[in-house]
Amino acid sequence: MGVRLENQLDGQGALFRQEWKDFQFTILGQNGLTEIKNANQARIDGLEMDVNFAATYNLQLSAGVAFYDAKLTENYCGFTDENGNPVTDCADPEAPSGTRLPVTAEFKGNLNARYTFDWKDYEPFIQGSVVYEGRRTSDLRILEREILGDMPSYTMFDLSAGIRKDSWTLNLYVKNLFDERAEFNRFTMCAVTVCGASGLVPEYPNGQVYTVAGQPRTIGLRFSQEF
């Protein structure tokens, strides 16, 4: 049987500021080829914390949270000067200073609970977890972001129950219990303003924008053996 502690609490946290000089991001160019763009200056102010708590001999809890304020600190104009340095002073920047960095939620968190008990020579357990991630933008550039749309927040639950003895474990699990359609990415197969534009292709009147979705509800049985 495993060793479990009772009423033990431990955790850690970090408050930070990260300055990005010559912040880079990738886009699809007009010919469908990946281009690396230099957006110059960006900054992330963040707080990350996690905690583990042995509430009782049987119940183990863990949680984590993260807060991010990630944004440009200079304009992104979309072009460079003759020396290859990004221009930040322009009348109509593609992303003005203060624009939120893409694919970064303001908040995300997780919670996990595991209840284990002894039964004869076996160790049954029940475990549940939940993960939340807030709304995220899909592109740094304002126009392209409006075409692609934001990725909405999502909450995903997992459940599992099983039994363990000596070196083997049998586990019945359900991933994404409520079949949440989480979105992890949005993209087009060529430049966003071309492939994502409305009305250019009759078969796709609203543009061809693709979404990378999370794993749908999955039920499985897993057997593991330690050697």
Side-chain angles (χ1 to χ4, degrees):
M1 299 298 175
V3 176
R4 299 190 296 274
L5 301 177
E6 183 176 356
N7 295 329
Q8 178 175 334
L9 176 66
D10 65 83
Q12 59 183 358
L15 181 65
F16 65 90
R17 165 169 287 187
Q18 181 178 2
E19 299 281 355
W20 277 7
K21 183 177 181 181
D22 297 330
F23 161 66
Q24 294 181 327
F25 69 105
T26 59
I27 66 170
L28 281 179
Q30 295 296 328
N31 296 320
L33 300 176
T34 299
E35 300 178 5
I36 299 177
K37 295 292 186 178
N38 191 332
N40 205 8
Q41 301 292 94
R43 184 178 66 218
I44 302 176
D45 293 325
L47 172 64
E48 298 175 341
M49 297 183 296
D50 62 77
V51 62
N52 298 287
F53 179 43
T56 68
Y57 175 80
N58 303 99
L59 180 60
Q60 309 288 313
L61 303 173
S62 62
V65 294
F67 302 87
Y68 300 108
D69 181 20
K71 60 187 178 182
L72 289 178
T73 54
E74 292 189 25
N75 293 335
Y76 170 64
C77 295
F79 55 92
T80 59
D81 60 22
E82 59 184 11
N83 296 318
N85 299 313
V87 175
T88 60
D89 185 10
C90 55
D92 188 21
E94 294 186 21
S97 177
T99 298
R100 184 163 188 82
L101 300 187
V103 201
T104 305
E106 292 184 355
F107 171 77
K108 61 182 180 179
N110 63 82
L111 176 64
N112 185 79
R114 183 182 180 92
Y115 185 82
T116 307
F117 58 97
D118 298 328
W119 176 66
K120 297 183 179 180
D121 294 331
Y122 299 91
E123 189 178 277
F125 63 87
I126 301 173
Q127 180 170 307
S129 63
V130 57
V131 175
Y132 172 84
E133 187 165 11
R135 178 177 292 271
R136 290 135 294 138
T137 59
S138 51
D139 198 289
L140 177 69
R141 300 161 297 173
I142 301 301
L143 176 59
E144 285 77 0
R145 176 184 299 184
E146 292 177 351
I147 294 173
L148 292 173
D150 290 348
M151 293 173 287
S153 62
Y154 66 86
T155 305
M156 299 181 71
F157 294 84
D158 295 340
L159 286 179
S160 64
I163 191 168
R164 176 179 178 180
K165 182 180 180 182
D166 300 328
S167 61
W168 62 265
T169 303
L170 184 64
N171 183 19
L172 175 65
Y173 63 87
V174 183
K175 292 185 176 293
N176 193 6
L177 177 64
F178 299 109
D179 205 24
E180 176 82 359
R181 290 297 186 260
E183 294 186 12
F184 297 151
N185 190 20
R186 288 189 177 188
F187 66 96
T188 56
M189 298 302 293
C190 67
V192 175
T193 52
V194 177
C195 288
S198 300
L200 292 183
V201 181
E203 293 82 2
Y204 301 96
N206 297 320
Q208 292 177 273
V209 176
Y210 298 88
T211 299
V212 177
Q215 181 177 340
R217 183 191 298 117
T218 304
I219 302 173
L221 183 66
R222 179 188 298 116
F223 175 81
S224 59
Q225 175 77 53
E226 297 177 0
F227 296 96

